[in-house]
Amino acid sequence: MFDIFANYGGQLWSGFGYTLLSSLYALIGSLVVGTIFALFEISPNKVLRVIGHIYVEIFRNIPLLVIAMIFYIVVPQYIAKIDGFTAGTIGLTIYTSAFIAETVRAGIEGVPVGQMEAARSNGMSYGQSMIHIIMPQAIKIVVPPLGNQFINLVKNSSVLAFLAGFDLMYQGNVIASTTFRTTDTYFAVGLLYLIITLPMSYGMRYLEKKWSAERSED
Amino acid sequence: MSMIEFNNVEKYYGKFHALKNINLKIDQGEVVTIIGPSGSGKSTLLRCINGLETVTSGQLLINGYDLADKKTDMNKTRKNVGMVFQHFNLYANKTVMQNITLGPQVVLKQSKAQSEEEAHKLLELVGLNEKANSFPDQLSGGQQQRIAIARSLAMKPKALLFDEPTSALDPEMIGDVLNVMKTVAEQGMTMVVVTHEMGFAQEVGDRIVFMADGSILEDHSDVAGFFKQPNDERARVFLSKVIKHM
């Protein structure tokens, strides 16, 4: 396995870089988009609620590969030319954002109703109550499930391999088909994914522990 | 002009008729206690006053602004009316000091220094100055409720609403909270208090309102007289049950 690194290291690390980059874009993008749709879903405004609901139900119930393919093949035909990396990253962002919307919504709804009522009768507007009271409490509820979503996102970025996205999985496929050393290659690829996901796993554990310790100190 | 005025207010939850033809006027500085069996609409009536519930029809005037009118800016009218809840509802993510100063800073745009100075005075009033840096879950129920009162007062409201403020407390905590409420009443605050504390109603209340089934059945300025001789049969039955347990 180590000679795969010796001979094809450049290719593997390049794939690693694209995977990391795609994951990072999609992570930030899906967090922003997901939070916006979560706020839509719990909004007092009925139209926004319906929009949020439709968005979530569509994109979490279609396979990621299908969403990515639509951006890779359909969108370039009718709208704008985009490469495999971009198409895959957009698909990944939209797909993941639907799950994040549900996670964030559940987190906000996990904050007792009395907190919002107290903030409102304290004179704060809906937005001020959200910012100062509801969201800071929701974040602590949301972090563990959100961590799982982010780890899934990194692994799901391997969908780029189908779209010539030059990611880690794509490079692995190329190396395996030239060398026929499938076992060693895919072990190497798996190892490189772990380099990204394991620190995330432990980071989440650390945060969870830290916050639960803070709570019991309080 | 009354501070709080209900004119023919009706409130429905779906088909359930929660408030029936409510007419009630509360003047500045009055302390009105509302009693009645559970499910009688007392809390709903209170929650309408600061817009946590909307009325279905009729007129609800707070300082002359009609809450039933959609054009009324609820955030503005709410600034003048504070609320103390049965379960305290202190901000779990904030310290006692932050609980009290957040509203003045965010809504009234007070400086941190100014709001903290006033918060210390209020903590003095409720007797909990040493708890300024504690979090709500480090306090007893009675302490939390006194902080909740301080938090409401920090907004310098024109009226304070109390929704069964002592119902969730252990018996030995109730006295401290009632004493704080009495002090606030003595300072001239307009108060509407939904309560089961008949002693408080008699001692501190200027007026007593008895509700049952969504209607106001009795409304008396002669509080002691009401307790001796209620007119309505349901009030008589209610009082006999409550007083038996006292």
Side-chain angles (χ1 to χ4, degrees):
Chain A
M1 189 175 92
F2 292 104
D3 61 304
I4 292 281
F5 273 106
N7 296 329
Y8 297 93
Q11 230 172 308
L12 280 175
W13 285 112
S14 151
F16 179 86
Y18 276 104
T19 290
L20 202 60
L21 203 61
S22 170
S23 301
L24 195 67
Y25 288 152
L27 191 151
I28 295 167
S30 60
L31 190 58
V32 172
V33 176
T35 305
I36 290 171
F37 279 99
L39 290 173
F40 279 16
E41 282 197 279
I42 55 148
S43 159
N45 182 317
K46 198 179 173 200
V47 178
L48 289 182
R49 277 207 305 278
V50 170
I51 292 173
H53 194 69
I54 291 173
Y55 179 90
V56 167
E57 291 306 342
I58 287 181
F59 289 111
R60 74 169 175 178
N61 290 312
I62 298 177
L64 168 59
L65 190 52
V66 175
I67 299 174
M69 278 299 181
I70 288 171
F71 277 94
Y72 187 47
I73 295 166
V74 181
V75 168
Q77 263 181 16
Y78 297 102
I79 300 166
K81 197 115 194 82
I82 47 175
D83 58 20
F85 177 83
T86 311
T89 304
I90 293 174
L92 191 59
T93 302
I94 289 176
Y95 175 79
T96 311
S97 70
F99 289 91
I100 287 182
E102 280 305 279
T103 309
V104 172
R105 180 188 60 78
I108 293 171
E109 287 176 348
V111 179
V113 183
Q115 296 284 305
M116 177 58 101
E117 290 188 347
R120 295 310 299 275
S121 46
N122 208 190
M124 283 185 260
S125 67
Y126 180 81
Q128 288 168 335
S129 310
M130 271 291 174
I131 291 168
H132 294 286
I133 304 302
I134 307 300
M135 281 308 213
Q137 295 185 59
I139 285 171
K140 292 194 179 188
I141 303 175
V142 150
V143 158
L146 217 50
N148 285 330
Q149 299 293 350
F150 290 153
I151 290 168
N152 277 334
L153 180 149
V154 173
K155 295 185 291 180
N156 285 339
S157 73
S158 57
V159 76
L160 265 70
F162 286 92
L163 321 174
F166 303 106
D167 68 313
L168 189 49
M169 187 64 194
Y170 175 85
Q171 300 294 5
N173 287 340
V174 172
I175 296 166
S177 58
T178 25
T179 61
F180 299 108
R181 294 188 43 201
T182 46
T183 313
D184 286 348
T185 308
Y186 288 118
F187 266 87
V189 167
L191 197 68
L192 288 173
Y193 274 110
L194 280 179
I195 291 178
I196 305 176
T197 49
L198 273 185
M200 293 174 75
S201 254
Y202 280 95
M204 288 302 159
R205 265 172 222 258
Y206 170 77
L207 273 185
E208 251 179 272
K209 242 191 210 149
K210 194 181 147 207
W211 282 346
S212 68
E214 269 175 19
R215 280 222 66 75
S216 55
E217 267 172 38
D218 283 355
Chain B
M1 187 179 68
S2 308
M3 171 165 286
I4 299 166
E5 186 173 340
F6 286 75
N7 289 324
N8 306 317
V9 166
E10 308 278 346
K11 165 75 183 169
Y12 286 86
Y13 291 108
K15 279 190 179 156
F16 179 68
H17 201 169
L19 293 180
K20 296 172 187 162
N21 192 29
I22 300 293
N23 287 290
L24 181 68
K25 283 187 182 135
I26 296 169
D27 287 327
Q28 187 166 352
E30 259 191 309
V31 176
V32 178
T33 53
I34 303 179
I35 63 168
S38 61
S40 59
K42 317 182 289 289
S43 289
T44 304
L45 184 134
L46 203 64
R47 290 164 61 87
C48 285
I49 298 175
N50 77 340
L52 288 176
E53 307 288 348
T54 53
V55 305
T56 309
S57 68
Q59 205 183 26
L60 172 49
L61 300 171
I62 310 292
N63 273 320
Y65 292 101
D66 187 1
L67 292 198
D69 185 348
K70 288 208 167 69
K71 274 177 269 175
T72 302
D73 182 354
M74 202 64 87
N75 292 328
K76 253 187 203 155
T77 47
R78 269 206 193 98
K79 267 190 229 174
N80 297 322
V81 182
M83 175 116 168
V84 174
F85 298 87
Q86 184 178 0
H87 296 285
F88 337 125
N89 298 350
L90 292 182
Y91 308 136
N93 58 326
K94 306 276 182 198
T95 64
V96 163
M97 179 53 80
Q98 291 166 336
N99 261 277
I100 299 173
T101 57
L102 186 68
Q105 286 176 16
V106 170
V107 182
L108 305 179
K109 311 289 177 206
Q110 282 183 10
S111 70
K112 190 165 183 279
Q114 189 197 350
S115 61
E116 286 186 353
E117 195 190 316
E118 300 203 1
H120 277 300
K121 282 183 211 154
L122 291 168
L123 283 171
E124 198 74 51
L125 177 81
V126 301
L128 289 169
N129 229 331
E130 76 282 3
K131 298 290 183 188
N133 297 315
S134 303
F135 280 89
D137 58 4
Q138 293 171 302
L139 305 177
S140 71
Q143 291 171 331
Q144 290 191 51
Q145 195 60 300
R146 281 142 69 193
I147 299 301
I149 295 171
R151 174 176 69 180
S152 296
L153 288 172
M155 293 297 290
K156 299 203 170 21
K158 296 199 169 74
L160 259 190
L161 313 174
F162 294 81
D163 190 5
E164 301 199 22
T166 56
S167 300
L169 297 178
D170 291 333
E172 76 269 23
M173 308 277 178
I174 292 175
D176 289 339
V177 171
L178 291 179
N179 282 337
V180 169
M181 290 168 64
K182 197 177 157 190
T183 310
V184 175
E186 282 163 358
Q187 292 178 354
M189 177 65 70
T190 310
M191 289 165 60
V192 186
V193 185
V194 170
T195 187
H196 295 294
E197 296 297 329
M198 299 305 147
F200 178 86
Q202 288 201 57
E203 192 189 344
V204 184
D206 299 318
R207 230 169 100 192
I208 192 150
V209 169
F210 175 77
M211 287 184 74
D213 290 327
S215 302
I216 292 178
L217 299 183
E218 306 231 16
D219 181 351
H220 295 282
S221 298
D222 178 13
V223 179
F226 166 77
F227 276 103
K228 271 196 209 104
Q229 191 79 54
N231 297 329
D232 188 271
E233 178 58 26
R234 272 179 287 185
R236 227 186 323 266
V237 172
F238 176 75
L239 282 183
S240 73
K241 278 183 188 160
V242 177
I243 287 166
K244 215 183 288 172
H245 288 286
M246 272 172 79

